[in-house]
Amino acid sequence: MKLFGHGKKVTDSAAPTAATSESPKQQTPTAQAVIHSAATVEPTDVKKNEHASAPAPVANEDAYQKLTTKREQLEKHVNQLNQQYGDARNELRSQLLTEKDYLRAQSRMVNHDYDKLAKQRDADFEVFSQLQDHRNKVAAKQQRLVASLNVTKQKFAEQSTILAKMKAQSAQITKQREQLDKQEHKLLDELGQQGNLNSLMEEIDAKRKQISDINVHDHELEQAENGINQDIVKQEKAVSVLNKQVAIQEQANNKDDETADLQKQLAEIDKKVSQQQEKLTADDDKLKAVKQEKASLGEQFQQLTDLMKFYFSSTKLIDNFQFDPARHYVFYSNTLIPLSQLSDQNGLEIIDQLFDKTDAHFDLLTTDFNRELSEIWDDYQSSGVLHHAGHVINPYLDFQRDAGRQQHADVALPLDQGQDWHVNAGTEEQPEMIRSASGKQSVTLKYRADRSLESVRYFQNDQLFKMAIYDQQNVLVATQYVDPRDAKHAASEIYYRPDHSVALEKVFFEDHVVVQTTDAGKTVERTFETEDDYYEWWIKAHALTRPEDALIIDTETPYFEQLLNDDDRRFELIPLITDVDNKALIDQIVADDSPVNNIIVSDEAVHQVILKQLKRDMHIMVLDPAGVTNEKAKAATIKTRIYIPKVS
């Protein structure tokens, strides 16, 4: 068996080379039966042969030769069985590791989903609590208003009762005064009718006294009536005020925005509370389902662990990483060097050779802007350098994906029509320099070998201020505006779709760059503070969006760690480790909770460092198992940013 791709036969981590030397506890029942039958049943036949050959001493030499031949056949048979047993163990180990990798990936996804659902449930519960608090406040406000109205109504009723009693008392006094008045008139009439003088005087005195008493009583009643009438006036004012308050509060409850709609608000809030309660119930059901899935994965994980202990006496195994034809592999390279500039074998060829003995293929992903990228990639494939590569993936090429449908479209230069332009170099069909009659403005055009337009430079007073870049179909790809402080650098860059709509814009400052994407409707979608942030987002959102995607990427790539720690990415990350100086990053890659299950290392030295730090299962592929590091050829310098040359 080739372990770690070293090319030499080594033993399992828990077993010697020969399967017969293993402890019986470490062997499978089937393997024990095979080895046992081969080791015990066949020698019985040998004893029978020995017993059968005993009566013929003359043929001892022939019998011994037969026994030797039989023994050699048995040894060969046992060796074959041992080889099959070893191959089966290796295949079983690989299968167990693959299953464990799958379960680990599933567990990470399930745990991520569980954490996400738990956060969502907490957020929903927070909304539910806020709705409950809002409802309680609205209900309390409504209750206060109702209570205040009821208190006012109660006071109004009480004061109205008091007023009614006072009016009744006033009416009674009025009635009493009327009776006294009648008595007084009656006495006066009787005085006028009295004939006997003596008896008259006595009667007059008596009646005068009665009249005087009546007048006193009437005066008292008059004062009481006046007091009651005054109280009645006050009470009527109080009752009137209370009546107005009741009317105002009732009107407020019916018309005012803050009070009249409280009942309606309560109904709406109750509806939202009910909906939120249903949402919480759904969240709980989802969490319960994910918990069950976690428990199921835990059981399956434990079963695999038990199998590893049974067959290999270990729960952590290392196996060689092999490409899976069912997966879509993508190799990351910042740029693609033209084939003509390669002086020796490059990294892309080495990656291509890894796929030689597999049915898998790979695509190339680059993030550098290169207007000739499609042509360079075609050169790679047509030259036979790459045998397993399919497509090239690039954000700028993605903007131009429809440009190939056009055939050398005519180019309309954005020139000031108010100027009189003359061709100073080239021809009318293929001008190389156009200059205005005033001489203040000029335009230079550069063509490819196939006479397609490559670039157009615009000058103002012989100072370059912008350059337009075209593809081989004469479609505008990008425009770069020159930094007025340094003509070697761009102040901004604009990248277009084939319909000339802006797809991406970069604005360069002294210490940073701002990148923003624009949709077809000319609306800014996203803004990024660095180009690396943009590339990292584009890889996740556009380039690799499926679970079967697998990105082979060097750990020294600027945004590798961002991709490693991004739980929302859907594709597999396969680190290419060429340097182990960053121990913290290596620890993070091989940690128990790391999402990485497969890695590729540059040579045996790096491999050994990884093995020393590794404390869990892992699939490892070694690019150079012999430890021979090929001297790297000097690569041509390809800048990520296109620099505008100085005007000569």
Side-chain angles (χ1 to χ4, degrees):
M1 181 189 66
K2 293 183 179 180
L3 188 62
F4 314 135
H6 295 178
K8 59 181 180 179
K9 183 179 282 188
V10 296
T11 60
D12 290 328
S13 58
T17 304
T20 54
S21 63
E22 293 189 357
S23 170
K25 294 181 179 179
Q26 299 175 6
Q27 298 177 347
T28 67
T30 304
Q32 288 177 350
V34 172
I35 300 299
H36 182 72
S37 63
T40 60
V41 177
E42 296 293 349
T44 304
D45 296 336
V46 175
K47 290 181 180 180
K48 289 180 180 179
N49 291 335
E50 289 175 351
H51 182 71
S53 61
V58 179
N60 280 341
E61 186 173 347
D62 293 339
Y64 181 72
Q65 185 64 35
K66 290 180 180 179
L67 290 173
T68 302
T69 302
K70 185 65 174 178
R71 174 175 57 78
E72 291 175 351
Q73 291 175 351
L74 291 172
E75 288 177 350
K76 185 177 181 180
H77 187 201
V78 169
N79 289 335
Q80 291 175 349
L81 292 174
N82 283 333
Q83 183 65 38
Q84 294 174 5
Y85 174 66
D87 293 342
R89 278 175 59 85
N90 293 335
E91 187 176 352
L92 175 62
R93 177 177 62 183
S94 179
Q95 179 66 25
L96 291 175
L97 279 178
T98 302
E99 290 183 32
K100 200 170 183 181
D101 289 344
Y102 175 78
L103 289 180
R104 183 182 286 112
Q106 289 295 106
S107 296
R108 284 184 58 83
M109 291 175 58
V110 170
N111 289 333
H112 177 63
D113 291 343
Y114 181 82
D115 293 339
K116 194 173 182 179
L117 286 173
K119 290 179 181 178
Q120 183 62 44
R121 204 266 179 198
D122 292 341
D124 291 340
F125 182 77
E126 182 66 24
V127 173
F128 177 78
S129 301
Q130 291 174 358
L131 287 173
Q132 286 280 47
D133 292 341
H134 187 202
R135 187 202 181 282
N136 293 337
K137 290 178 181 178
V138 173
K141 186 176 181 180
Q142 185 193 36
Q143 290 174 358
R144 287 196 299 270
L145 290 173
V146 172
S148 176
L149 177 62
N150 290 336
V151 169
T152 305
K153 285 183 176 180
Q154 185 178 0
K155 288 182 179 179
F156 173 75
E158 292 174 353
Q159 296 299 324
S160 297
T161 302
I162 293 173
L163 178 61
K165 289 180 179 180
M166 292 175 69
K167 286 183 176 181
Q169 188 178 3
S170 176
Q172 186 178 3
I173 292 174
T174 302
K175 188 176 181 181
Q176 289 178 354
R177 289 189 67 193
E178 290 175 352
Q179 291 176 352
L180 288 176
D181 186 60
K182 288 179 180 180
Q183 290 179 8
E184 183 179 6
H185 283 86
K186 183 181 179 182
L187 289 173
L188 290 174
D189 290 342
E190 290 178 351
L191 284 175
Q193 297 175 2
Q194 197 66 249
N196 190 337
L197 184 60
N198 292 328
S199 59
L200 177 61
M201 293 303 294
E202 292 177 0
E203 188 68 26
I204 287 173
D205 290 338
K207 290 187 183 298
R208 282 179 176 172
K209 185 178 181 182
Q210 288 181 9
I211 290 172
S212 178
D213 292 339
I214 287 173
N215 289 333
V216 171
H217 191 197
D218 182 64
H219 180 69
E220 291 176 353
L221 287 175
E222 184 181 9
Q223 289 181 339
E225 185 179 21
N226 292 336
I228 288 175
N229 287 335
Q230 291 176 359
D231 291 341
I232 286 174
V233 172
K234 293 179 182 179
Q235 191 66 23
E236 284 178 343
K237 291 181 179 179
V239 170
S240 177
V241 170
L242 289 173
N243 191 26
K244 288 181 180 179
Q245 290 182 3
V246 170
I248 290 172
Q249 289 183 358
E250 286 180 343
Q251 185 179 8
N253 284 352
N254 293 328
K255 295 182 180 180
D256 192 71
D257 291 340
E258 294 183 358
T259 56
D261 294 338
L262 287 178
Q263 190 63 38
K264 184 178 179 181
Q265 290 180 27
L266 278 177
E268 292 177 355
I269 293 173
D270 287 338
K271 184 178 179 180
K272 291 180 180 179
V273 169
S274 177
Q275 292 174 347
Q276 200 66 21
Q277 183 65 57
E278 293 176 358
K279 196 171 184 180
L280 282 175
T281 303
D283 289 344
D284 290 335
D285 292 341
K286 291 178 182 178
L287 281 173
K288 184 178 179 181
V290 175
K291 281 182 180 178
Q292 292 176 349
E293 191 173 359
K294 287 178 67 175
S296 175
L297 287 172
E299 292 176 0
Q300 297 177 48
F301 206 92
Q302 186 58 45
Q303 291 175 0
L304 283 180
T305 302
D306 294 340
L307 288 173
M308 286 183 173
K309 288 180 180 178
F310 179 78
Y311 289 113
F312 303 101
S313 298
S314 175
T315 59
K316 295 180 176 64
L317 303 176
I318 309 299
D319 194 22
N320 187 36
F321 168 50
Q322 297 180 352
F323 294 112
D324 181 2
R327 298 190 68 78
H328 171 224
Y329 293 99
V330 178
F331 178 69
Y332 173 80
S333 175
N334 177 54
T335 190
L336 187 63
I337 300 174
L339 198 61
S340 59
Q341 297 181 15
L342 295 178
S343 58
D344 201 350
Q345 186 184 46
N346 66 91
L348 196 56
E349 288 182 90
I350 297 175
I351 295 297
D352 184 77
Q353 291 171 3
L354 297 177
F355 290 81
D356 281 348
K357 297 182 180 180
T358 71
D359 294 328
H361 296 79
F362 73 97
D363 291 334
L364 178 69
L365 188 150
T366 70
T367 51
D368 199 8
F369 173 69
N370 190 336
R371 55 191 165 186
E372 312 295 342
L373 180 60
S374 296
E375 289 70 30
I376 295 174
W377 183 247
D378 290 341
D379 290 343
Y380 267 81
Q381 293 188 303
S382 61
S383 65
V385 173
L386 304 178
H387 303 283
H388 309 284
H391 305 283
V392 61
I393 306 171
N394 180 271
Y396 306 99
L397 196 62
D398 192 36
F399 300 149
Q400 309 157 35
R401 61 184 179 273
D402 297 327
R405 300 175 184 174
Q406 304 183 28
Q407 298 294 329
H408 289 279
D410 293 333
V411 178
L413 300 180
L415 301 178
D416 183 4
Q417 298 301 318
Q419 295 283 342
D420 187 15
W421 295 90
H422 303 280
V423 176
N424 285 40
T427 65
E428 289 289 340
E429 292 76 18
Q430 295 283 341
E432 296 178 2
M433 183 178 215
I434 304 174
R435 186 177 291 275
S436 65
S438 63
K440 293 183 178 181
Q441 295 177 334
S442 62
V443 178
T444 62
L445 298 91
K446 184 179 180 181
Y447 301 90
R448 297 181 180 86
D450 62 356
R451 303 309 294 165
S452 63
L453 185 60
E454 181 177 333
S455 64
V456 179
R457 289 180 171 86
Y458 295 85
F459 296 85
Q460 184 74 31
N461 294 327
D462 294 332
Q463 293 293 323
L464 178 67
F465 71 93
K466 78 172 181 178
M467 179 173 70
I469 301 171
Y470 294 81
D471 66 6
Q472 286 190 315
Q473 282 73 40
N474 290 346
V475 176
L476 181 64
V477 174
T479 300
Q480 298 172 319
Y481 291 87
V482 179
D483 188 341
R485 297 166 298 180
D486 185 356
K488 288 184 178 180
H489 297 83
S492 64
E493 297 175 351
I494 301 176
Y495 299 88
Y496 305 95
R497 299 183 182 89
D499 62 359
H500 288 194
S501 63
V502 175
L504 182 75
E505 184 174 1
K506 300 180 185 178
V507 180
F508 299 99
F509 299 92
E510 290 185 1
D511 55 349
H512 70 286
V513 57
V514 174
V515 182
Q516 63 183 25
T517 61
T518 307
D519 63 13
K522 300 181 181 180
T523 303
V524 175
E525 292 179 307
R526 289 175 178 81
T527 301
F528 305 90
E529 291 301 321
T530 68
E531 289 180 289
D532 288 341
D533 288 343
Y534 165 68
Y535 293 139
E536 189 257 345
W537 168 82
W538 178 81
I539 289 174
K540 292 187 308 176
H542 290 275
L544 306 175
T545 58
R546 303 174 303 168
E548 57 266 30
D549 293 332
L551 179 63
I552 303 172
I553 182 170
D554 197 305
T555 55
E556 296 184 5
T557 303
Y559 38 87
F560 169 80
E561 199 163 349
Q562 290 175 254
L563 291 172
L564 177 66
N565 296 318
D566 193 336
D567 292 330
D568 292 329
R569 64 171 171 81
R570 303 190 64 187
F571 59 88
E572 179 188 2
L573 197 67
I574 303 177
L576 174 59
I577 304 176
T578 59
D579 194 333
V580 290
D581 290 341
N582 191 346
K583 187 176 182 300
L585 181 60
I586 300 301
D587 287 339
Q588 190 176 356
I589 292 173
V590 302
D592 287 340
D593 59 348
S594 169
V596 176
N597 295 322
N598 306 309
I599 63 174
I600 301 175
V601 298
S602 57
D603 52 48
E604 186 58 30
V606 175
H607 183 205
Q608 291 303 320
V609 173
I610 297 295
L611 289 179
K612 290 178 181 178
Q613 294 182 239
L614 196 60
K615 296 180 180 179
R616 68 172 178 92
D617 306 311
M618 184 70 75
H619 290 86
I620 304 176
M621 179 183 293
V622 184
L623 293 181
D624 184 13
V628 178
T629 305
N630 295 328
E631 189 173 353
K632 295 182 179 179
K634 289 186 177 180
T637 302
I638 304 295
K639 298 181 176 63
T640 301
R641 185 185 305 171
I642 294 181
Y643 294 107
I644 308 297
K646 284 185 176 180
V647 179
S648 61

